[in-house]
């Protein structure tokens, strides 16, 4: 991966993170905001594959773990987004994805990513939500991410397609 491609990918994550912690923080539903960083990682996985998405997921997760108002043990989002990047990158096919398959992929990725984050919180004894409230958070996060998919994924996937050199499959 060239330095320019890496910078563009990192810029996409930073823009998503800033929007997530500023604008969408005011639009939270049951205290949950949409995970725009997760959507960027899904877009990277669908277009560029597992390796690229895992690296981007690690960077996005670390930034998300450290960005205010983070109140959890650092590393939880990093782990969750690396897992999401791996899974999405592995299920991508060489044919152009359909709208239905992209929305389904986002739904599964949101469920897996939010579940990994929540379960690691329980395992690490992070104060916050009880086990009973975790399912509600996972469902609300999934709904948010799926609702924003048509607005976020097309431009993100277009950016990642443009980063790919002509004639080279990622």
């Amino acid at each position: 991966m060239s330095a320019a491609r890496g910078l563009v990918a990192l810029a996409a994550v930073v823009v998503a993170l800033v929007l997530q912690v500023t604008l969408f923080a005011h639009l939270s539903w049951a205290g949950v905001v949409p995970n725009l960083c997760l959507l960027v990682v899904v877009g990277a996985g669908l277009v560029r594959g597992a390796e690229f998405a895992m690296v981007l997921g690690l960077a996005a997760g670390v930034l998300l773990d450290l960005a205010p108002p983070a109140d959890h043990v650092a590393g939880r989002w990093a782990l969750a987004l690396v897992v999401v990047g791996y899974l999405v990158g592995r299920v991508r096919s060489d044919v152009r994805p359909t709208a239905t398959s992209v929305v389904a992929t986002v739904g599964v990725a949101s469920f897996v990513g939010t579940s990994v984050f929540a379960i690691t919180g329980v395992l690490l004894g992070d104060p916050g939500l009880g086990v009973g409230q975790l399912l509600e958070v996972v469902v609300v996060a999934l709904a948010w991410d799926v609702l924003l998919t048509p607005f976020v994924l097309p431009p993100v996937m277009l950016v990642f397609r443009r980063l790919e050199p002509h004639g080279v499959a990622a």
Side-chain angles (χ1 to χ4, degrees):
M1 176 172 69
S2 73
R5 286 187 213 138
L7 288 174
V8 171
L10 188 58
V13 167
V14 169
V15 168
L17 177 66
V18 168
L19 288 173
Q20 184 173 327
V21 299
T22 57
L23 176 66
F24 285 101
H26 299 291
L27 303 173
S28 68
W29 174 18
V32 179
V33 297
N35 195 336
L36 299 178
C37 291
L38 180 134
L39 294 177
V40 170
V41 172
V42 169
L46 287 172
V47 174
R48 303 284 298 162
E51 290 178 18
F52 183 82
M54 288 172 61
V55 171
L56 191 61
L58 178 64
V62 167
L63 290 174
L64 194 54
D65 281 329
L66 299 178
D71 61 350
H72 58 273
V73 174
R76 289 174 52 200
W77 273 121
L79 174 64
L81 293 182
V82 167
V83 170
V84 165
Y86 175 76
L87 292 175
V88 172
R90 296 296 294 168
V91 300
R92 92 174 177 128
S93 62
D94 292 333
V95 295
R96 188 172 210 153
T98 65
T100 306
S101 69
V102 169
V103 171
T105 302
V106 167
V108 171
S110 179
F111 177 80
V112 169
T114 307
S115 296
V116 168
F117 177 80
I119 291 168
T120 56
V122 170
L123 293 175
L124 295 172
D126 239 3
L129 298 177
V131 176
Q133 296 168 310
L134 291 180
L135 183 59
E136 178 185 353
V137 169
V138 169
V139 169
V140 171
L142 186 143
W144 259 128
D145 295 339
V146 167
L147 284 173
L148 287 179
T149 296
F151 305 105
V152 176
L153 260 288
V156 166
M157 291 173 70
L158 179 65
V159 166
F160 287 125
R161 271 193 209 100
R162 298 224 173 172
L163 290 177
E164 188 171 331
H166 294 291
V168 176

